[in-house]
Amino acid sequence: MKILIVHYRYFISGGPERYLFNLKDALEKRGHEVIPFSIRNSKNIPSTFSDYFVNNIGKSDEVFVNQYPKTLHTYIDLICREFYSFEVKRKLKKLIADTNPDLCYLLVYKRALSPSVIDACHEMGLPIVNRISDYNPVCGAASLYHNGHFCKECFTYHDKSLLKRHCVKGSKLFSTMRYLSIKLSERLHIDDKINQYVCTNGFMKEMMSERGYNPNKLQIIPTFFNEKEVYKQADKSMRYSTDTLRMLYIGNIDESKGIYDLVEALAILKKSTSFFHLSIVGGLHEEENNKVLRLLENKNLVEHVKFEPFRSDGKVFEYYLDSHITILPARWVENLPNTLIESLYFHRPVVVPRWGSFKYTTDKQVAFYYEALNPTSLADTLKGIIMNPNTITMKHEACELFFQANYTEKSHVDKLLNLFNNIIKQ
């Protein structure tokens, strides 16, 4: 099978890209041909199809919007990619004509490639499967999160809350553009041209159904973990060298990820016990990193917390093995974090809020729950673990079975190819 994969980045910068390249390898191992379409960037992984890639916004080599050159060409590109880019459409149709793929697997395209990628495939008679990696289909800000709280205002007011609340970057201009681009896509019936959606979890399907998407076009296929040989050889047994509970937070340093709630919970926890240590691994933005460091100092938590940059040497898994539990203190409802899957693969139970996607991606056999957005509840949960360490052992032993049932490469690829084949036959 020839599979066209469309995604706005062709280098690893986060979860969607890791998924892209892991899936590409998995499909090619089974003899399928993967044809990528993306945006040109000096960081890109080499590809024989790179000549078909479209220029970045403003013909720049930057990744983030605030780093684009402030030129007229940039502003024109931003508008086209938000609403509809004929340049992207032309380039993609040329690639389809030259390679004749059987199906398009569409990943992230909004704002960077524009909805014209869907028209390009549709006009060339190519069926489309769209994998959802955030809440873009139901929320203009893509997160169902506003001012620190869960938000479904757009469900009631048909996206007009974007205009009232300025949900996109806190900007009236960007929010108005987002609202208008959503309405243009509705007028062009863009979503109707997608044959099937792949949701990573049941909560996403629930939200899309509630927003009016046809439930028959929503398939749940969770993300998988790329099990490398070095991981298979790792000793996943629980390491109890001291009475100290070793905890891990790994990922972006961001308010919506709940890092500040976690620090507050540790400050509360310290009032009753000092038998804990947290490793914070990650942080792409120096300003946020420094904010966390200052907060740790103010809360007298420096001796209990170690802050480390994310490792790029492929040995990040060692952090899981050196910890007892992984904490995902998200303030938003999340989709399906790679951190969760990785932690379960390495037999480390997770601490998560009892809401959103976590209701579908974990269960009580492998997770410790707390009340979402509540540092006191998180502190109570952590204290309970410290007081009853045998609960870690019980959940540790259940992780392998839960992982095998939900997050293996074979299960994911089998389900995905079955979906692809059914759509192609139709």
Side-chain angles (χ1 to χ4, degrees), residues 235-286:
D235 179 8
K236 301 173 186 174
S237 60
M238 193 62 74
R239 303 170 185 175
Y240 295 107
S241 57
T242 68
D243 293 332
T244 299
L245 175 66
R246 296 196 303 276
M247 304 174 289
L248 174 66
Y249 170 92
I250 184 166
N252 291 334
I253 306 304
D254 182 284
E255 183 267 343
S256 68
K257 290 287 187 180
I259 185 65
Y260 302 111
D261 284 348
L262 176 55
V263 173
E264 183 63 32
L266 295 185
I268 297 169
L269 180 63
K270 190 182 176 185
K271 294 177 181 178
S272 55
T273 179
S274 60
F275 292 105
F276 65 88
H277 186 272
L278 171 70
S279 291
I280 299 176
V281 181
L284 298 174
H285 302 289
E286 187 175 351

Side-chain angles (χ1 to χ4, degrees), residues 141-157:
S143 60
L144 294 174
Y145 183 76
H146 182 75
N147 281 351
H149 297 282
F150 178 65
C151 175
K152 289 201 305 182
E153 286 285 308
C154 283
F155 288 50
T156 304
Y157 299 106

Side-chain angles (χ1 to χ4, degrees), residues 333-344:
V333 291
E334 275 287 4
N335 193 3
L336 176 52
N338 283 299
T339 301
L340 187 151
I341 301 173
E342 292 166 1
S343 188
L344 296 179

Side-chain angles (χ1 to χ4, degrees), residues 12 17 33 44 59 69 80 101 105 115 131 135 145 147 149 211 231 238 249 262 302 309 316 322 351 373 387 392 396:
I12 294 178
E17 292 75 45
E33 182 180 356
N44 280 358
K59 293 187 176 180
C80 289
Y105 192 35
R131 177 183 183 266
Y135 293 91
Y145 183 76
N147 281 351
H149 297 282
R211 195 73 210 270
Y231 301 155
M238 193 62 74
Y249 170 92
L262 176 55
V302 174
V316 67
D322 287 337
V351 178
L373 311 180
M387 300 298 291
I392 302 176
H396 162 77

